Amino acid sequence: MSKQNDAISMLTADHREVATMFEQYEGLGDRAKASKKKLADQICMALTLHATIEEEIFYPALRQKSKQAADLLDEALVEHAGAKDLIAQLQEADPEDDLYDAKVKVLGEQIEHHVKEEEGEMFPIAKKAGLDIEALGSEMAMRKDELAATM
């Protein structure tokens, strides 16, 4: 299996993809309402897929292998809950709404913080914990495809 298919590489690629979308959003002008809505919807879908595969597959596997990761995993779940709340607000909102851009901005900042913790602290622990990151990557890719087909 190629390196890109391992769990950590897959999650890191998701992080880069979403960061790029947030940057694109920032570059849109005030009058680009339709483009903003479309991009925000793409961001929300990508984050929802990502959080789901982490919560269903990656986090439980890491929790089982590493007591050291417990606090980080708990924090990550709380961060996911906050992001899901903003995602729900954005999905129901319109770019014409007063706080729409602010919500996208705050979501981006929360995700940036979350990514730094995952990549800087959680992923190194996962690598040392003896996880089968290739098998996890395969399982996560299949689940992500299943979820994407229902969205």
Side-chain angles (χ1 to χ4, degrees):
M1 184 165 289
S2 73
K3 182 90 172 105
Q4 280 83 311
N5 292 336
D6 78 56
I8 293 172
S9 296
M10 181 181 169
L11 294 174
T12 302
D14 284 355
H15 293 164
R16 297 299 164 271
E17 178 187 2
V18 171
T20 298
M21 286 191 274
F22 277 115
E23 287 172 20
Q24 290 170 344
Y25 188 95
E26 285 291 316
L28 294 173
D30 287 339
R31 294 175 34 187
K33 303 297 184 191
S35 296
K36 284 184 173 188
K37 181 64 175 167
K38 184 177 178 190
L39 195 51
D41 286 347
Q42 290 173 335
I43 289 168
C44 290
M45 185 172 120
L47 290 174
T48 299
L49 290 171
H50 181 85
T52 302
I53 61 172
E54 281 185 332
E55 291 173 11
E56 290 182 359
I57 300 166
F58 188 74
Y59 290 174
L62 181 55
R63 192 178 295 276
Q64 190 173 26
K65 287 278 190 181
S66 173
K67 299 224 181 302
Q68 182 187 2
D71 287 346
L72 282 172
L73 290 165
D74 291 346
E75 287 176 32
L77 290 170
V78 172
E79 290 168 355
H80 279 195
K84 287 177 189 175
D85 182 49
L86 272 176
I87 288 167
Q89 291 179 44
L90 283 168
Q91 288 173 326
E92 294 174 13
D94 183 270
E96 298 284 341
D97 297 348
D98 286 344
L99 299 177
Y100 192 86
D101 287 339
K103 289 177 182 180
V104 173
K105 176 96 172 149
V106 169
L107 179 61
E109 290 169 351
Q110 287 180 351
I111 298 305
E112 186 179 341
H113 168 82
H114 180 73
V115 165
K116 280 183 186 166
E117 286 187 347
E118 278 191 349
E119 293 182 7
E121 300 175 51
M122 187 184 295
F123 292 173
I125 291 170
K127 288 176 183 174
K128 292 178 193 164
L131 287 173
D132 185 344
I133 59 171
E134 284 80 18
L136 278 175
S138 293
E139 186 181 348
M140 288 163 50
M142 286 191 311
R143 181 64 176 135
K144 190 174 184 181
D145 289 344
E146 281 175 22
L147 291 165
T150 67
M151 295 181 115

